[in-house]
Amino acid sequence: MKVSLFIPCLTELMFPESGLAMVKVLKHIGAEIDYVEDQTCCGQPAFNSGYRKEIIPVAERFIDLFKDKEIIVAPSGSCTAMVRVFYHELDLNPEKKEALQSLSQRLFEFTEFLVDQAKVNGLGGSFPHRVTYHESCHLSRELGVKEQPRKLIRGIKDIDFVEMEKPDTCCGFGGTFSYKFPDLSIAMVARKCRYIEESGAEYVIGADSSCLMNIQGYLEQHKMKAKTMHIAELLAASLKL
Amino acid sequence: MQLNPKKTKTYIKSALRDQHLKEAVDRATQSALKKRQDKVDLMPYWEDMRWQAHKAKAGVIDHLDRYLEEFEANCMANGTTVHWAVDGEEARKIIIDLIRKNNVKSIVKAKSLTTEEIYLNHFLVDQGLEVLETDLGEYIVQLLDQIPSHLTSPALHLTRKDVGKIFHEKLGVPYTEDPPELAQIARQKLREKFLAADMGISGVNFAIADSGSFCIVENEANAHLAVTMPRIHVAVMGIEKIVPTLPATAAFLKLQAISTTGQKQSSYVNFVGGPTRQKFGEGCEEVHLVLLDNGRSTILADPQLRETLFCFRCGACLNNCPIYQQVGGHAYGWVYMGPIGISLLPQYLGVDEGRYAPFTSSLCGACYEICPMRINIPHHLLKLRNRVVDSGYSMKVEKWAMWGFGFLASRPWLYRLLTWFPGKFQKLMPGNRAFPAPGYGKERALGRMDLKGFRKRFKEMS
C-alpha cells in the first residue's frame, strides 16, 4: 500500500515532528511512503477569511499534484476537510472538479486512515501517562471522525486515558478568528485549558496542530501542567519509533 | 436601547469583562442544553425527524410563492385580513393605521422577535401609545429598555437576583428573589392591562398553508390572553414561517419544544384561525395578519443561503455556541443573535451593516450539530464571508496578503524560499517566537517556527 503524504503548511513550518511521527507510524504498519515535494498549502487560511477566487489556482494545483495518487493521508482534520469538503464549493474548472470527486474518496485524515482504511484497532505500544483528548472541530464535525482517535489511544498499553469535560468544545483558534477577535479567542482557549487542567492529564492529545498550537500557547503562559502532543507523536512514542 | 451591529467588537470586549453576565449566560445555556439532551436521548428517531423536517421545509421554501398564495386565500376564507409589508416601515404603517382607525389606546404584546426586528415597540411608544410586553422575560427587558438577549429567553443574561432588584426599583415592590413570587408580581401588574387592552399584537411561530391558521407557542398563557381578550389581534410574521399542513406542524412543534426548553411539548400552543367573537361569543372581533418580507425574498435567490430561512428561532444554536456562551446576546448588536443571527444579519441588513457578523465565529460547527432543522450555519458563514470580501469590505492589508498567499502557494520554489525566511526572522523576535500577531503574547504564546521544516527533516530521516 502506497501512501502519499499531504503535509499542511503548519506541519511544514512549525510542527514537522508530527509529520515525521506520522511517517514512522505509517511505515510501522507496512505502508510505502510517497512524498510530493512540490506541495504547498491547501489554501484554508484564505478560504476561511472569505477569499475564494484567490485560492482557485492553489486548489487546482493541489488536485493536479495528487489526482493520480492511490491514498493520500494528512496529519490534520482541518486541512483534510478543506480539500474533501470545501474545495467542492469553489468555482473550479469542470475537469478539475471531476478529478476532485475521485481524489476526495482517497484522501484521509491520519487516524481515520489507520482505523477505517488500514483496519488498525490498536498498535500495542506503551505510554504510562495520563492523557486526555481534544476533539478538533473540523475533524469531528466536518469529517465525522470522533471515535477513531480514541480507539487508537485506548489501544496503547498502560495509558491512563481520561475524557475532559466537553472534549468537543472549540479551543477558540479558528485561524484568522484568533487575531480578528483576540479577546474572545483567548476566553475560549482559557475555558478549554481549564477543562484540560481539571482532567489532571499530563498530555492533551489532538489530531490538528493548529488547535494544539493555540492550546499550548495558553498552557505555557499560564504555567499549567499539561503539554500538548499530536496523536501521531503519541503513537510513535508509545511504539518507541 | 438601540444597538449597532457595527460596534460588535466593542460590545464583545465589554461583555467579556462582565463576570456576572458570563455566569448568568453560562448557567442558563448549560441547563438548557442538558434538558434538551435528556429528551433527545429518549428519541431514537430524532435524527430522522430532523432530516424530514429539513426536507419538508425545503419543499416549502423552494415554492414559497405558491404556498403564500394558498395560505393567504385560506386566511381570507377564515375571515382573517391579510396585509403584505415589503419592509419594516410598511409594516409599522399598516399597524399604526389599524390603531388609528379603531381608536386603540392600550396594547398588550405577546413575545415576538419579528416585531423586535421592525422596532415596533419604540415606534408605537413614540406615537403616544401604551405598549406592554406580557411575556415575563420580555416584560423584564422592556422595564430595562433593552432588547432580548436570547431568541427564546429574552432575560437570559439576568439572574433572579437581578430581576428582584429591577422589580423593586421599577415597580416599587419589596425585594424578593423567589421565582414564583416574582412571576406573581408580574402577573398582577399585567392582568389589569389585559382587561383594558384594545389590541393584542403577537408574532407567529408556524403558519399553516392548507388551513389558513397559524400557531403561537408559549409557556405562560400570556400570549393566549393577549390574542383573545382584546377586540383586535394583529399578528406579524416573516414570510418564511410557512409550513405545508397541520400534520407537518406537529413535527415542527415537537422539534421546537425539545430544542428550546427540553419540553416534550410547549405548555400552550394557540391555533388562530380567524376572528371568533361573532361565531362563538368570545375571542377577537378582528384578526389581522401582517406578512413581512424585509429582505427575506432576496435570500431566496441564493439556493445555498436560502437554507437560513428554515430557522424557527428555537435558540439551540445559541446555547451550544462557545461564543454566545461567553458573551451573551447583546454583544452581537442585533435582535437576532448567535450563529443564526450572524448568518441572517448581512443578508437582512446588507454587507455594510453586517461586515463583521459572519466573522464572529470560529467555524466550529456546534450550531450545525444541534440545529433541529439541520441548517449548515458554518458553511453559510463561509459563503457570507466571501460576500463581504467580494463587496470590498475587507482591510487592504489583508486583501494584499491573501493575494500574495495565493501567489506564493501556487509556486513551490517561492513557497520554499519564503518558508525558510520566517525561521531566520524569528531569531530576531523576543522570546525567539514566530512573527507577532494581535491576541498572541501575554495571555497566549505564539508557536515557534521550525528552523529546518518538514521537507528537510524528512530527507534527513530517509
Side-chain angles (χ1 to χ4, degrees), chain B residues 285-312:
Chain B
E285 281 168 25
E286 290 176 31
V287 175
H288 294 267
L289 188 59
V290 181
L291 292 170
L292 177 72
D293 183 346
N294 212 22
R296 288 161 174 84
S297 55
T298 55
I299 298 181
L300 283 173
D302 187 308
Q304 184 195 326
L305 292 172
R306 71 166 65 140
E307 214 183 78
T308 52
L309 294 175
F310 294 8
C311 172
F312 50 52

PDB file of all heavy atoms in Angstrom, chain B residues 285-312:
ATOM      1  N   GLU B 285     -62.685  40.280  17.649  1.00  0.00           N
ATOM      2  CA  GLU B 285     -63.621  40.662  16.590  1.00  0.00           C
ATOM      3  C   GLU B 285     -62.917  40.682  15.239  1.00  0.00           C
ATOM      4  O   GLU B 285     -63.506  40.396  14.211  1.00  0.00           O
ATOM      5  CB  GLU B 285     -64.163  42.073  16.861  1.00  0.00           C
ATOM      6  CG  GLU B 285     -65.255  42.104  17.911  1.00  0.00           C
ATOM      7  CD  GLU B 285     -65.559  43.528  18.354  1.00  0.00           C
ATOM      8  OE1 GLU B 285     -65.305  44.477  17.580  1.00  0.00           O
ATOM      9  OE2 GLU B 285     -66.043  43.674  19.495  1.00  0.00           O
ATOM     10  N   GLU B 286     -61.656  41.064  15.287  1.00  0.00           N
ATOM     11  CA  GLU B 286     -60.887  41.161  14.035  1.00  0.00           C
ATOM     12  C   GLU B 286     -59.525  40.508  14.211  1.00  0.00           C
ATOM     13  O   GLU B 286     -58.887  40.695  15.242  1.00  0.00           O
ATOM     14  CB  GLU B 286     -60.637  42.632  13.660  1.00  0.00           C
ATOM     15  CG  GLU B 286     -61.858  43.391  13.217  1.00  0.00           C
ATOM     16  CD  GLU B 286     -61.536  44.864  12.955  1.00  0.00           C
ATOM     17  OE1 GLU B 286     -60.388  45.162  12.539  1.00  0.00           O
ATOM     18  OE2 GLU B 286     -62.432  45.694  13.187  1.00  0.00           O
ATOM     19  N   VAL B 287     -59.088  39.783  13.201  1.00  0.00           N
ATOM     20  CA  VAL B 287     -57.719  39.255  13.199  1.00  0.00           C
ATOM     21  C   VAL B 287     -57.003  39.782  11.950  1.00  0.00           C
ATOM     22  O   VAL B 287     -57.503  39.630  10.826  1.00  0.00           O
ATOM     23  CB  VAL B 287     -57.692  37.711  13.215  1.00  0.00           C
ATOM     24  CG1 VAL B 287     -56.261  37.196  13.094  1.00  0.00           C
ATOM     25  CG2 VAL B 287     -58.329  37.174  14.485  1.00  0.00           C
ATOM     26  N   HIS B 288     -55.891  40.438  12.169  1.00  0.00           N
ATOM     27  CA  HIS B 288     -55.092  40.956  11.054  1.00  0.00           C
ATOM     28  C   HIS B 288     -53.733  40.268  11.046  1.00  0.00           C
ATOM     29  O   HIS B 288     -53.125  40.101  12.096  1.00  0.00           O
ATOM     30  CB  HIS B 288     -54.881  42.474  11.208  1.00  0.00           C
ATOM     31  CG  HIS B 288     -56.146  43.248  11.086  1.00  0.00           C
ATOM     32  ND1 HIS B 288     -56.574  43.765   9.892  1.00  0.00           N
ATOM     33  CD2 HIS B 288     -57.092  43.562  12.015  1.00  0.00           C
ATOM     34  CE1 HIS B 288     -57.735  44.385  10.087  1.00  0.00           C
ATOM     35  NE2 HIS B 288     -58.070  44.281  11.368  1.00  0.00           N
ATOM     36  N   LEU B 289     -53.304  39.915   9.857  1.00  0.00           N
ATOM     37  CA  LEU B 289     -52.019  39.249   9.739  1.00  0.00           C
ATOM     38  C   LEU B 289     -51.127  40.083   8.825  1.00  0.00           C
ATOM     39  O   LEU B 289     -51.500  40.373   7.681  1.00  0.00           O
ATOM     40  CB  LEU B 289     -52.237  37.852   9.149  1.00  0.00           C
ATOM     41  CG  LEU B 289     -51.053  36.915   9.099  1.00  0.00           C
ATOM     42  CD1 LEU B 289     -50.488  36.661  10.491  1.00  0.00           C
ATOM     43  CD2 LEU B 289     -51.475  35.595   8.480  1.00  0.00           C
ATOM     44  N   VAL B 290     -49.957  40.491   9.342  1.00  0.00           N
ATOM     45  CA  VAL B 290     -49.029  41.270   8.526  1.00  0.00           C
ATOM     46  C   VAL B 290     -47.912  40.335   8.056  1.00  0.00           C
ATOM     47  O   VAL B 290     -47.155  39.795   8.865  1.00  0.00           O
ATOM     48  CB  VAL B 290     -48.431  42.448   9.324  1.00  0.00           C
ATOM     49  CG1 VAL B 290     -47.480  43.262   8.452  1.00  0.00           C
ATOM     50  CG2 VAL B 290     -49.533  43.324   9.892  1.00  0.00           C
ATOM     51  N   LEU B 291     -47.842  40.122   6.747  1.00  0.00           N
ATOM     52  CA  LEU B 291     -46.802  39.253   6.182  1.00  0.00           C
ATOM     53  C   LEU B 291     -45.606  40.117   5.792  1.00  0.00           C
ATOM     54  O   LEU B 291     -45.700  40.951   4.891  1.00  0.00           O
ATOM     55  CB  LEU B 291     -47.339  38.514   4.957  1.00  0.00           C
ATOM     56  CG  LEU B 291     -48.419  37.468   5.244  1.00  0.00           C
ATOM     57  CD1 LEU B 291     -49.053  36.983   3.942  1.00  0.00           C
ATOM     58  CD2 LEU B 291     -47.833  36.290   5.991  1.00  0.00           C
ATOM     59  N   LEU B 292     -44.511  39.908   6.484  1.00  0.00           N
ATOM     60  CA  LEU B 292     -43.352  40.789   6.346  1.00  0.00           C
ATOM     61  C   LEU B 292     -42.256  40.158   5.489  1.00  0.00           C
ATOM     62  O   LEU B 292     -41.838  39.019   5.736  1.00  0.00           O
ATOM     63  CB  LEU B 292     -42.789  41.093   7.751  1.00  0.00           C
ATOM     64  CG  LEU B 292     -41.529  41.950   7.807  1.00  0.00           C
ATOM     65  CD1 LEU B 292     -41.830  43.397   7.466  1.00  0.00           C
ATOM     66  CD2 LEU B 292     -40.880  41.847   9.190  1.00  0.00           C
ATOM     67  N   ASP B 293     -41.804  40.900   4.502  1.00  0.00           N
ATOM     68  CA  ASP B 293     -40.668  40.428   3.694  1.00  0.00           C
ATOM     69  C   ASP B 293     -39.365  40.914   4.339  1.00  0.00           C
ATOM     70  O   ASP B 293     -38.598  40.124   4.877  1.00  0.00           O
ATOM     71  CB  ASP B 293     -40.811  40.949   2.255  1.00  0.00           C
ATOM     72  CG  ASP B 293     -39.702  40.444   1.350  1.00  0.00           C
ATOM     73  OD1 ASP B 293     -38.700  39.927   1.876  1.00  0.00           O
ATOM     74  OD2 ASP B 293     -39.812  40.559   0.113  1.00  0.00           O
ATOM     75  N   ASN B 294     -39.122  42.202   4.311  1.00  0.00           N
ATOM     76  CA  ASN B 294     -37.944  42.798   4.958  1.00  0.00           C
ATOM     77  C   ASN B 294     -36.631  42.083   4.629  1.00  0.00           C
ATOM     78  O   ASN B 294     -35.847  41.770   5.517  1.00  0.00           O
ATOM     79  CB  ASN B 294     -38.161  42.820   6.485  1.00  0.00           C
ATOM     80  CG  ASN B 294     -37.464  44.024   7.128  1.00  0.00           C
ATOM     81  OD1 ASN B 294     -37.190  45.016   6.459  1.00  0.00           O
ATOM     82  ND2 ASN B 294     -37.168  43.926   8.406  1.00  0.00           N
ATOM     83  N   GLY B 295     -36.426  41.805   3.354  1.00  0.00           N
ATOM     84  CA  GLY B 295     -35.156  41.217   2.929  1.00  0.00           C
ATOM     85  C   GLY B 295     -35.199  39.717   2.698  1.00  0.00           C
ATOM     86  O   GLY B 295     -34.279  39.145   2.113  1.00  0.00           O
ATOM     87  N   ARG B 296     -36.269  39.083   3.142  1.00  0.00           N
ATOM     88  CA  ARG B 296     -36.309  37.618   3.037  1.00  0.00           C
ATOM     89  C   ARG B 296     -36.349  37.135   1.598  1.00  0.00           C
ATOM     90  O   ARG B 296     -35.734  36.123   1.259  1.00  0.00           O
ATOM     91  CB  ARG B 296     -37.508  37.080   3.808  1.00  0.00           C
ATOM     92  CG  ARG B 296     -37.326  37.180   5.327  1.00  0.00           C
ATOM     93  CD  ARG B 296     -38.663  37.096   6.042  1.00  0.00           C
ATOM     94  NE  ARG B 296     -38.529  37.043   7.487  1.00  0.00           N
ATOM     95  CZ  ARG B 296     -38.388  38.106   8.279  1.00  0.00           C
ATOM     96  NH1 ARG B 296     -38.333  39.308   7.745  1.00  0.00           N
ATOM     97  NH2 ARG B 296     -38.289  37.966   9.586  1.00  0.00           N
ATOM     98  N   SER B 297     -37.094  37.839   0.739  1.00  0.00           N
ATOM     99  CA  SER B 297     -37.217  37.328  -0.633  1.00  0.00           C
ATOM    100  C   SER B 297     -35.893  37.418  -1.383  1.00  0.00           C
ATOM    101  O   SER B 297     -35.661  36.646  -2.307  1.00  0.00           O
ATOM    102  CB  SER B 297     -38.337  38.054  -1.382  1.00  0.00           C
ATOM    103  OG  SER B 297     -38.124  39.438  -1.338  1.00  0.00           O
ATOM    104  N   THR B 298     -34.989  38.333  -0.968  1.00  0.00           N
ATOM    105  CA  THR B 298     -33.691  38.350  -1.654  1.00  0.00           C
ATOM    106  C   THR B 298     -32.845  37.154  -1.220  1.00  0.00           C
ATOM    107  O   THR B 298     -32.023  36.665  -1.983  1.00  0.00           O
ATOM    108  CB  THR B 298     -32.912  39.652  -1.363  1.00  0.00           C
ATOM    109  OG1 THR B 298     -32.793  39.790   0.052  1.00  0.00           O
ATOM    110  CG2 THR B 298     -33.584  40.867  -1.934  1.00  0.00           C
ATOM    111  N   ILE B 299     -33.061  36.669  -0.002  1.00  0.00           N
ATOM    112  CA  ILE B 299     -32.328  35.483   0.454  1.00  0.00           C
ATOM    113  C   ILE B 299     -32.714  34.270  -0.393  1.00  0.00           C
ATOM    114  O   ILE B 299     -31.896  33.403  -0.671  1.00  0.00           O
ATOM    115  CB  ILE B 299     -32.607  35.208   1.948  1.00  0.00           C
ATOM    116  CG1 ILE B 299     -32.126  36.387   2.805  1.00  0.00           C
ATOM    117  CG2 ILE B 299     -31.956  33.904   2.402  1.00  0.00           C
ATOM    118  CD1 ILE B 299     -32.323  36.199   4.286  1.00  0.00           C
ATOM    119  N   LEU B 300     -33.991  34.252  -0.820  1.00  0.00           N
ATOM    120  CA  LEU B 300     -34.479  33.132  -1.627  1.00  0.00           C
ATOM    121  C   LEU B 300     -33.674  32.940  -2.903  1.00  0.00           C
ATOM    122  O   LEU B 300     -33.572  31.831  -3.422  1.00  0.00           O
ATOM    123  CB  LEU B 300     -35.937  33.382  -2.025  1.00  0.00           C
ATOM    124  CG  LEU B 300     -37.004  33.142  -0.968  1.00  0.00           C
ATOM    125  CD1 LEU B 300     -38.347  33.601  -1.504  1.00  0.00           C
ATOM    126  CD2 LEU B 300     -37.063  31.662  -0.620  1.00  0.00           C
ATOM    127  N   ALA B 301     -33.096  34.033  -3.394  1.00  0.00           N
ATOM    128  CA  ALA B 301     -32.394  33.972  -4.674  1.00  0.00           C
ATOM    129  C   ALA B 301     -31.176  33.057  -4.619  1.00  0.00           C
ATOM    130  O   ALA B 301     -30.754  32.522  -5.638  1.00  0.00           O
ATOM    131  CB  ALA B 301     -31.972  35.380  -5.093  1.00  0.00           C
ATOM    132  N   ASP B 302     -30.576  32.872  -3.462  1.00  0.00           N
ATOM    133  CA  ASP B 302     -29.379  32.040  -3.372  1.00  0.00           C
ATOM    134  C   ASP B 302     -29.755  30.630  -2.912  1.00  0.00           C
ATOM    135  O   ASP B 302     -30.193  30.432  -1.784  1.00  0.00           O
ATOM    136  CB  ASP B 302     -28.393  32.666  -2.386  1.00  0.00           C
ATOM    137  CG  ASP B 302     -27.054  31.953  -2.375  1.00  0.00           C
ATOM    138  OD1 ASP B 302     -27.033  30.709  -2.210  1.00  0.00           O
ATOM    139  OD2 ASP B 302     -26.038  32.634  -2.546  1.00  0.00           O
ATOM    140  N   PRO B 303     -29.568  29.636  -3.792  1.00  0.00           N
ATOM    141  CA  PRO B 303     -30.021  28.284  -3.458  1.00  0.00           C
ATOM    142  C   PRO B 303     -29.351  27.702  -2.207  1.00  0.00           C
ATOM    143  O   PRO B 303     -29.932  26.855  -1.542  1.00  0.00           O
ATOM    144  CB  PRO B 303     -29.681  27.457  -4.694  1.00  0.00           C
ATOM    145  CG  PRO B 303     -28.881  28.322  -5.583  1.00  0.00           C
ATOM    146  CD  PRO B 303     -28.995  29.740  -5.122  1.00  0.00           C
ATOM    147  N   GLN B 304     -28.131  28.154  -1.905  1.00  0.00           N
ATOM    148  CA  GLN B 304     -27.495  27.642  -0.691  1.00  0.00           C
ATOM    149  C   GLN B 304     -27.993  28.400   0.543  1.00  0.00           C
ATOM    150  O   GLN B 304     -28.448  27.813   1.521  1.00  0.00           O
ATOM    151  CB  GLN B 304     -25.967  27.760  -0.761  1.00  0.00           C
ATOM    152  CG  GLN B 304     -25.305  27.140   0.480  1.00  0.00           C
ATOM    153  CD  GLN B 304     -23.838  27.547   0.653  1.00  0.00           C
ATOM    154  OE1 GLN B 304     -23.099  27.739  -0.308  1.00  0.00           O
ATOM    155  NE2 GLN B 304     -23.418  27.675   1.892  1.00  0.00           N
ATOM    156  N   LEU B 305     -27.908  29.723   0.452  1.00  0.00           N
ATOM    157  CA  LEU B 305     -28.213  30.529   1.640  1.00  0.00           C
ATOM    158  C   LEU B 305     -29.683  30.547   2.024  1.00  0.00           C
ATOM    159  O   LEU B 305     -30.028  30.898   3.147  1.00  0.00           O
ATOM    160  CB  LEU B 305     -27.693  31.955   1.444  1.00  0.00           C
ATOM    161  CG  LEU B 305     -26.158  32.081   1.408  1.00  0.00           C
ATOM    162  CD1 LEU B 305     -25.748  33.490   1.018  1.00  0.00           C
ATOM    163  CD2 LEU B 305     -25.544  31.702   2.741  1.00  0.00           C
ATOM    164  N   ARG B 306     -30.552  30.138   1.112  1.00  0.00           N
ATOM    165  CA  ARG B 306     -31.977  30.160   1.454  1.00  0.00           C
ATOM    166  C   ARG B 306     -32.275  29.196   2.605  1.00  0.00           C
ATOM    167  O   ARG B 306     -33.300  29.294   3.253  1.00  0.00           O
ATOM    168  CB  ARG B 306     -32.849  29.873   0.231  1.00  0.00           C
ATOM    169  CG  ARG B 306     -32.820  28.480  -0.289  1.00  0.00           C
ATOM    170  CD  ARG B 306     -33.965  28.238  -1.260  1.00  0.00           C
ATOM    171  NE  ARG B 306     -33.865  29.031  -2.474  1.00  0.00           N
ATOM    172  CZ  ARG B 306     -34.168  28.567  -3.695  1.00  0.00           C
ATOM    173  NH1 ARG B 306     -34.584  27.325  -3.843  1.00  0.00           N
ATOM    174  NH2 ARG B 306     -34.076  29.333  -4.749  1.00  0.00           N
ATOM    175  N   GLU B 307     -31.341  28.296   2.857  1.00  0.00           N
ATOM    176  CA  GLU B 307     -31.483  27.389   3.995  1.00  0.00           C
ATOM    177  C   GLU B 307     -31.589  28.162   5.314  1.00  0.00           C
ATOM    178  O   GLU B 307     -32.151  27.672   6.287  1.00  0.00           O
ATOM    179  CB  GLU B 307     -30.265  26.460   4.036  1.00  0.00           C
ATOM    180  CG  GLU B 307     -30.553  25.075   4.532  1.00  0.00           C
ATOM    181  CD  GLU B 307     -29.290  24.241   4.619  1.00  0.00           C
ATOM    182  OE1 GLU B 307     -28.517  24.413   5.574  1.00  0.00           O
ATOM    183  OE2 GLU B 307     -29.087  23.403   3.724  1.00  0.00           O
ATOM    184  N   THR B 308     -31.007  29.373   5.355  1.00  0.00           N
ATOM    185  CA  THR B 308     -31.080  30.148   6.594  1.00  0.00           C
ATOM    186  C   THR B 308     -32.525  30.562   6.904  1.00  0.00           C
ATOM    187  O   THR B 308     -32.828  30.970   8.019  1.00  0.00           O
ATOM    188  CB  THR B 308     -30.196  31.417   6.540  1.00  0.00           C
ATOM    189  OG1 THR B 308     -30.510  32.152   5.358  1.00  0.00           O
ATOM    190  CG2 THR B 308     -28.724  31.065   6.516  1.00  0.00           C
ATOM    191  N   LEU B 309     -33.419  30.423   5.904  1.00  0.00           N
ATOM    192  CA  LEU B 309     -34.829  30.737   6.149  1.00  0.00           C
ATOM    193  C   LEU B 309     -35.572  29.570   6.800  1.00  0.00           C
ATOM    194  O   LEU B 309     -36.746  29.679   7.115  1.00  0.00           O
ATOM    195  CB  LEU B 309     -35.527  31.122   4.835  1.00  0.00           C
ATOM    196  CG  LEU B 309     -35.062  32.421   4.169  1.00  0.00           C
ATOM    197  CD1 LEU B 309     -35.745  32.602   2.822  1.00  0.00           C
ATOM    198  CD2 LEU B 309     -35.344  33.612   5.067  1.00  0.00           C
ATOM    199  N   PHE B 310     -34.898  28.443   6.976  1.00  0.00           N
ATOM    200  CA  PHE B 310     -35.557  27.292   7.609  1.00  0.00           C
ATOM    201  C   PHE B 310     -35.696  27.488   9.119  1.00  0.00           C
ATOM    202  O   PHE B 310     -36.378  26.750   9.795  1.00  0.00           O
ATOM    203  CB  PHE B 310     -34.750  25.998   7.396  1.00  0.00           C
ATOM    204  CG  PHE B 310     -34.661  25.520   5.970  1.00  0.00           C
ATOM    205  CD1 PHE B 310     -35.129  26.296   4.917  1.00  0.00           C
ATOM    206  CD2 PHE B 310     -34.115  24.275   5.685  1.00  0.00           C
ATOM    207  CE1 PHE B 310     -35.028  25.848   3.610  1.00  0.00           C
ATOM    208  CE2 PHE B 310     -34.023  23.813   4.377  1.00  0.00           C
ATOM    209  CZ  PHE B 310     -34.472  24.600   3.336  1.00  0.00           C
ATOM    210  N   CYS B 311     -34.974  28.482   9.653  1.00  0.00           N
ATOM    211  CA  CYS B 311     -34.885  28.651  11.106  1.00  0.00           C
ATOM    212  C   CYS B 311     -36.230  28.988  11.737  1.00  0.00           C
ATOM    213  O   CYS B 311     -36.941  29.858  11.249  1.00  0.00           O
ATOM    214  CB  CYS B 311     -33.895  29.763  11.423  1.00  0.00           C
ATOM    215  SG  CYS B 311     -33.856  30.216  13.161  1.00  0.00           S
ATOM    216  N   PHE B 312     -36.603  28.268  12.821  1.00  0.00           N
ATOM    217  CA  PHE B 312     -37.820  28.667  13.544  1.00  0.00           C
ATOM    218  C   PHE B 312     -37.485  29.240  14.918  1.00  0.00           C
ATOM    219  O   PHE B 312     -38.305  29.243  15.817  1.00  0.00           O
ATOM    220  CB  PHE B 312     -38.870  27.550  13.589  1.00  0.00           C
ATOM    221  CG  PHE B 312     -38.390  26.197  14.041  1.00  0.00           C
ATOM    222  CD1 PHE B 312     -37.693  26.035  15.228  1.00  0.00           C
ATOM    223  CD2 PHE B 312     -38.687  25.067  13.281  1.00  0.00           C
ATOM    224  CE1 PHE B 312     -37.289  24.787  15.654  1.00  0.00           C
ATOM    225  CE2 PHE B 312     -38.273  23.801  13.694  1.00  0.00           C
ATOM    226  CZ  PHE B 312     -37.573  23.663  14.884  1.00  0.00           C
TER     227      PHE B 312
END
